[in-house]
Every structure is written in C-alpha cells, then in structure tokens.
Amino acid sequence: MIEEILLAVLAVMAWSVLYKQNPLFRVAESMTVGLTLAFVVYTGIDVLGKRVFTPWSQGVWLTPTTVAAILGFMSWTRLGPRSINWISRWPLACLAGIGTGIAVKGVVGPQILGQLTTKSLISSDPLTSVNNIIIVAATITTLCHFTFSYRHDGVLGTSARIGRVFMMLAFGTMLGGFVMTAMGYLIGHMFVVVKPPAVYVVAVALAVLGADVIRSRGII
Amino acid sequence: MTSEKKGSTISVINQDRVIFLLIFITIAIPMIAPLGLPIPVGPTTAKYFSTVESIPEGSTVMWCTGIGLSIWYNTGPGEIATFKHIFELVRERHVKFIVFSESAQGASIVRRILDEYIDLSGLTYGEDYVDLGWIPGGEAALAGVVTDFQSTVETDHEGTPTGEILMLRDVKGADDFDVLGFSSGGMIDRFIRQWEPLKKPILLNMIAIGIPLCMPYIEKGMVMAYLNGQRGGAEYEKLLMQPGMGTSFIDAQSMIHLYIVAMILVVSFWSVSRRVNGR
C-alpha cells in the first residue's frame, strides 16, 4: 500500500511539469537521479562484498573478479595526488583493449558477413521479394545521399533524394515507436494511480491543480 | 511549452495541456472500466510461444534480464510471462533454468519476478533453477558465461560459490546450454556478437522502440523469436492463458493508438486548412 502511494505521489510530482514548471517537479527530478545513484552504489557495494571481500576474508586472494576489482580500485588513483595519477591509466587501457578484443571477435560473423550474405532476393513469398528489393534500394540510395565526393546531380541527385525519403520513413517509424513506448510507461503508471489508495493522491493533486487554475483566473 | 503564441484562440501552452489532459483521460477510462477488447495474437508472438513450448525435456535455458526499472511496464509483462512459461517446463520437463542480469536494476527485477509472480513451491533452488544475480562486466561478462562459465560466475546472487550449487558444478560454457534468451531495452548488438556464433536458439523480449534496430538480426534468423514490448507480453499472456499485467494494459494501449491516429488526422487537417486559407 505504501509502495502504491509513494508511486502515485512521485508520478503526480513528475507529471505536474505538464501543467507548468514547479518545485515539486524539481524535487521528483532530483529524487529520481539520487535514488537511482543510491541504488546502483548499494548494489555495487553488495556485489563487492559478496564476490570480493568475502573471498578475501576467507583467504582466497586471486580470482578473476578480485583482479577486476583491483583494476577498479586503481582507477580511483585519478582522485589522488598527481604523482600517482598514472596508475589510473592501466585499468582504462585494459578496459579499452579487452573490450575492443571481445567485441571485434563477434563483429565479423553476425554483424558484417551475416548481414551481407543472402540466398536470393526473390523469395517464394511475393511480399518478401518486394521487401528484399526495398531493402537493397534503401541501402544504395541512402549511401548515395551520404556520398559527398560528387555533386548531387543527375542519377546521383535522384538517388540521394530517394535515399532521403527512405531515411525520413525510418526516422518516422522510430519516432512512432518511441511515442508508443513512452505511452507504455504512462499506461503502466496509470494502472496504479487510478486505483485506491493511489487514486486519493491523484484527487488531492487535481484539487490543488484546480485551485491554482482558479487562482490564476482561468488560463483556457 | 515555454513560449506562448499570441493571436490564436488557444495558446500553445494550453494546446499542450489539452493534448496531455486528453491522453490521461483516454488511458484512465479503460483502466477504470475495462473495455475487454480482443487481443489478436500476432505471428511473432505465436512463434515465440511455440519456440519456448518446443524446448525439449532436460534442456538448460540461460536467460539474461537486461532491462531496467524504467521500462518495467513495457517489457515486464513479457518477462513475467516468459518466466512463467519456462517454470512450467521446469516442472513438467525437468528443464533447468539459469537466470542472471547484466545490470544492478535487472538483478532486482529478477528477484521481484521470482518472489512475486512465480510459484516456486515444489522446486529446489540450485537443482531446478538458479539466480546468479548481477554479473558485472557488460559484453565481457556475456562472452564469459558462454566460454568460461566457472571463472566468470563465481557465486550466485546470495554469494554461494557455484561449485556448491548442484546444477552449476559441471557447467563449463556454451555446450551446457540448449537455449539462450535475454531481454533488453536498448541495443542488442553485444548479445548477438557473443551468442550468435554459438548457433543456439536465441529468444528476445524487447522494448517496442528497439524492434526496428533488431530486425537485421531477426530477419537473418540470428534471433529465433521475439516479443514486441507490452503488446507482445499481452499476446503471450493470452497464449499462456494466464492474464496478467500486459492484458490489463491492452485496452488502454488500443485506446491511445486510436487517440494518436485521431490527433495526427486532426492536426494534419488543421495544418492543411490553414495553408489553404493562406494563414
């Protein structure tokens, strides 16, 4: 019950910006950042305790996790005197090197060769065939749009313009997806706030809102 | 919302306020009085369901919860339904379920699902399922769990060493997993880079906005089946015949779709009529 009321209070505080900027919104904004940070720090310390400090207390000094933790501690030397700052470069170098190595391993197969190979553009399903042709056309024409070595005249100019249309379609689709995803967040929160006890919080918020509208002598 | 245009009957600020107010009302009405609109199951969700359903007896499923709390309402229904379905298989077909997260928030989501939504009675932790908690390391961790499991995963979420957990003792890497799955609220490239070369079935529970970015992998069959956000979750609940959070949302989602279509039409008509009138 307390969880639902808290959710409703925070949701209403956050939504209040849709009416106008106000201190309650800024409190909710700061609380979100602070609570998220606190949660991550708490969980991080918890993981360190279980996977690093507990093995150390049992005399197990060298495990992959403890090595990673030591590298992590080394990065904190950046906060210390200038004379020991150089130590923080090693974990960064390890992170960049290992990260790149691991990522590159999988890039060639699934992300390059896997995307280039195809059996045939023409499929038994006519719609799939049309789709394949559209994909090829969109790829080529979009690449034409970003070809800046030549003037966009003639065939190149026409291709570039078609490529721009394909990009607009793609961006529009993504924007539509983003809007619907955002609505999904709202639907989730509304599911809680339209039911007791959270609905009483909303009722109070609406009363405050109404009072403010009346106080400012009707905006609409 | 910071500027106010003069000369129109409703100011820009108040146009925004009316639009938002109508959004709230459109969503609230079906929440208060459910409309019971039908939930047609799409082919992608049907494929996801049949892929999970066809997991053979005695298989091991490894799942990575890669979502955060901010997208809980979008991907949560699919995540819960997936866990429910897999736990049915754990009971009926002795499937082993290993779950972990690549983020702190994801780990708490896993705990929440297991504690609040899954019936764990009769199942033995460490023999039927195991929660490894948060495995830090990002892509390196994803690579590690399938190449050198024992070195990457030293303990479960409670700090119990993997060597003391019965179902994990002999797990070494990819060969010990039959199905891989994950949920995500962003780019899935890292999962594909590390897990696709293993040629295992990969399941995906994805936030709706991320689906277009996943299509190259889905079209190529690298991701065997996927759930499309909240809607996919609702469809999956229907197939499981276990209505849940997703089903509760679907009326509101349908209504808000209609509202947005209506808004696009109204604004387009208004914009065209202004041009015609030379304003």
Side-chain angles (χ1 to χ4, degrees):
Chain A
M1 181 175 166
I2 291 172
E3 186 188 351
E4 287 158 1
I5 291 174
L6 264 177
L7 191 150
V9 169
L10 282 170
V12 167
M13 284 163 73
W15 292 342
S16 65
V17 75
L18 300 177
Y19 174 57
K20 65 180 178 186
Q21 278 285 352
N22 64 84
L24 287 176
F25 168 72
R26 285 192 285 276
V27 169
E29 195 179 29
S30 303
M31 275 179 72
T32 305
V33 176
L35 283 171
T36 307
L37 183 65
F39 179 78
V40 172
V41 170
Y42 169 79
T43 317
I45 291 171
D46 189 48
V47 168
L48 274 179
K50 285 172 182 165
R51 296 189 179 167
V52 178
F53 299 135
T54 304
W56 280 352
S57 68
Q58 293 165 347
V60 182
W61 295 99
L62 203 60
T63 65
T65 309
T66 56
V67 172
I70 290 166
L71 283 167
F73 292 136
M74 283 165 67
S75 67
W76 286 352
T77 56
R78 180 173 286 271
L79 304 172
R82 189 178 285 265
S83 58
I84 60 165
N85 276 178
W86 62 270
I87 298 173
S88 69
R89 291 182 203 143
W90 283 95
L92 207 62
C94 288
L95 196 68
I98 294 168
T100 307
I102 287 172
V104 165
K105 180 193 138 198
V107 164
V108 178
Q111 289 194 297
I112 299 176
L113 294 178
Q115 300 302 325
L116 289 174
T117 51
T118 184
K119 286 174 188 167
S120 170
L121 280 178
I122 307 302
S123 163
S124 55
D125 176 16
L127 285 176
T128 306
S129 304
V130 173
N131 217 9
N132 290 341
I133 291 164
I134 290 173
I135 289 170
V136 171
T139 306
I140 292 170
T141 53
T142 305
L143 285 171
C144 286
H145 181 83
F146 289 103
T147 304
F148 300 122
S149 305
Y150 304 97
R151 284 180 68 87
H152 283 190
D153 293 330
V155 177
L156 184 63
T158 309
S159 297
R161 278 193 293 279
I162 295 169
R164 192 166 59 193
V165 171
F166 277 122
M167 280 192 287
M168 286 163 70
L169 285 169
F171 296 145
T173 307
M174 290 192 70
L175 179 68
F178 174 76
V179 170
M180 294 322 301
T181 304
M183 290 301 155
Y185 303 152
L186 182 61
I187 290 168
H189 285 105
M190 286 291 276
F191 183 63
V192 177
V193 300
V194 296
K195 292 175 180 170
V199 73
Y200 302 125
V201 175
V202 178
V204 171
L206 286 174
V208 173
L209 184 72
D212 192 66
V213 170
I214 293 166
R215 188 183 60 81
S216 56
R217 295 180 182 180
I219 294 170
I220 297 173
Chain B
M1 283 195 19
T2 52
S3 65
E4 193 150 359
K5 277 185 187 170
K6 302 286 182 189
S8 58
T9 48
I10 303 176
S11 68
V12 173
I13 287 179
N14 286 327
Q15 282 171 16
D16 289 348
R17 284 173 181 161
V18 169
I19 289 169
F20 288 129
L21 185 66
L22 288 174
I23 286 176
F24 280 95
I25 293 170
T26 308
I27 294 175
I29 288 171
M31 291 278 180
I32 295 164
L35 306 173
L37 295 173
I39 307 174
V41 177
T44 55
T45 309
K47 187 180 180 188
Y48 186 92
F49 178 84
S50 63
T51 305
V52 177
E53 192 59 31
S54 62
I55 293 173
E57 177 130 10
S59 300
T60 300
V61 179
M62 185 166 71
W63 184 272
C64 174
T65 296
I67 55 176
L69 293 167
S70 62
I71 57 167
W72 167 248
Y73 290 117
N74 200 287
T75 45
E79 196 79 352
I80 294 167
T82 302
F83 276 41
K84 280 183 177 173
H85 198 174
I86 292 174
F87 271 96
E88 275 181 16
L89 303 181
V90 171
R91 284 177 192 284
E92 294 165 7
R93 299 184 201 166
H94 307 292
V95 165
K96 307 285 182 199
F97 187 44
I98 299 169
V99 60
F100 72 97
S101 179
E102 57 162 2
S103 70
Q105 291 190 7
S108 72
I109 285 173
V110 171
R111 289 310 318 155
R112 184 175 181 179
I113 294 174
L114 293 180
D115 292 343
E116 294 180 21
Y117 296 95
I118 306 296
D119 176 18
L120 297 170
S121 59
L123 301 178
T124 309
Y125 180 80
E127 291 180 24
D128 297 313
Y129 70 99
V130 68
D131 172 12
L132 303 176
W134 174 27
I135 303 179
E139 188 163 348
L142 296 177
V145 291
V146 292
T147 51
D148 188 358
F149 185 86
Q150 295 294 337
S151 299
T152 308
V153 187
E154 290 158 19
T155 65
D156 71 350
H157 76 288
E158 287 179 334
T160 309
T162 45
E164 294 174 18
I165 297 170
L166 192 64
M167 65 182 277
L168 297 181
R169 271 182 203 161
D170 300 323
V171 174
K172 292 182 176 65
D175 292 342
D176 299 299
F177 308 121
D178 301 292
V179 178
L180 302 168
F182 63 95
S183 53
S184 179
M187 304 292 284
I188 66 163
D189 300 0
R190 60 192 182 286
F191 288 95
I192 300 298
R193 281 196 292 264
Q194 302 308 325
W195 290 1
E196 193 279 333
L198 308 172
K199 304 300 175 197
K200 306 273 182 187
I202 295 178
L203 299 166
L204 166 64
N205 174 28
M206 189 68 189
I207 189 169
I209 189 180
I211 292 295
L213 298 173
C214 301
M215 287 319 286
Y217 304 124
I218 294 165
E219 290 286 325
K220 289 289 177 183
M222 295 174 185
V223 171
M224 182 168 263
Y226 71 98
L227 283 180
N228 184 355
Q230 211 171 53
R231 167 118 210 137
E235 292 175 6
Y236 196 24
E237 284 172 1
K238 186 183 178 186
L239 288 170
L240 277 176
M241 289 185 285
Q242 295 186 33
M245 194 158 63
T247 310
S248 311
F249 294 163
I250 214 70
D251 277 352
Q253 204 183 57
S254 301
M255 289 295 286
I256 203 69
H257 281 188
L258 287 173
Y259 172 77
I260 287 174
V261 170
M263 286 304 293
I264 291 170
L265 292 175
V266 167
V267 174
S268 301
F269 179 75
W270 176 72
S271 178
V272 170
S273 66
R274 272 171 66 92
R275 277 193 194 180
V276 170
N277 294 333
R279 290 168 66 189

